[in-house]
Amino acid sequence: QVQLEESGGGLVQAGGSLRLSCAASGRAISSVYMGWFRQAPGKEREFVAAFNRRGDSTRYATSVKGRFTISRDNAKNTVYLQMNSLKAEDTAVYYCAAAPKPDGSNWYAAPGDYDYWGQGTQVTVSS
């Protein structure tokens, strides 16, 4: 069992920055694939960023590449999402997710690949 708790969301002006945190418990983040997703009202949950299981490789959605950075602190068992140059279209509920799958793949970008999810944290970007 993996429990995930997101924090750091809020209201920010377009062009501003936010840093989201995902605190994990139950399993070490080094033993699972970790990813960030987001979901806006009326839209499907979409991939944002992810680590491979070893945490030495990252992948980003085209819409956020160059603006968002996923990082981790294994000692704190926490994953972060640094969001810069925020746009109104970034407004969504952001979710942290974990996939306890065997090592051997690069990354997972489909929501169905992940078994554990946080409750989500709201990010609202005003223009």
Side-chain angles (χ1 to χ4, degrees):
Q1 178 176 319
V2 182
Q3 295 184 13
L4 306 171
E5 296 184 7
E6 304 98 333
S7 62
L11 175 65
V12 64
Q13 294 282 341
S17 299
L18 283 174
R19 189 193 192 198
L20 306 183
S21 298
C22 173
S25 60
R27 291 186 65 172
I29 60 173
S30 60
S31 70
V32 297
Y33 292 87
M34 298 293 297
W36 285 97
F37 292 78
R38 66 186 183 186
Q39 187 166 21
K43 301 185 68 176
E44 296 182 357
R45 190 166 299 186
E46 66 174 350
F47 171 77
V48 175
F51 277 112
N52 67 344
R53 179 170 164 175
R54 297 179 180 179
D56 58 2
S57 182
T58 58
R59 197 252 180 177
Y60 297 90
T62 301
S63 59
V64 307
K65 190 174 183 179
R67 299 188 297 119
F68 291 10
T69 302
I70 187 172
S71 62
R72 64 166 59 198
D73 187 334
N74 288 341
K76 295 182 178 180
N77 215 37
T78 300
V79 177
Y80 304 94
L81 185 68
Q82 178 67 46
M83 305 184 294
N84 298 326
S85 302
L86 283 163
K87 306 174 182 179
E89 52 263 42
D90 294 319
T91 295
V93 177
Y94 283 71
Y95 297 91
C96 179
K101 300 179 181 294
D103 197 9
S105 183
N106 49 358
W107 44 260
Y108 292 97
D113 290 322
Y114 291 81
D115 297 306
Y116 299 98
W117 298 82
Q119 81 286 352
T121 185
Q122 176 71 48
V123 172
T124 302
V125 184
S126 64
S127 60

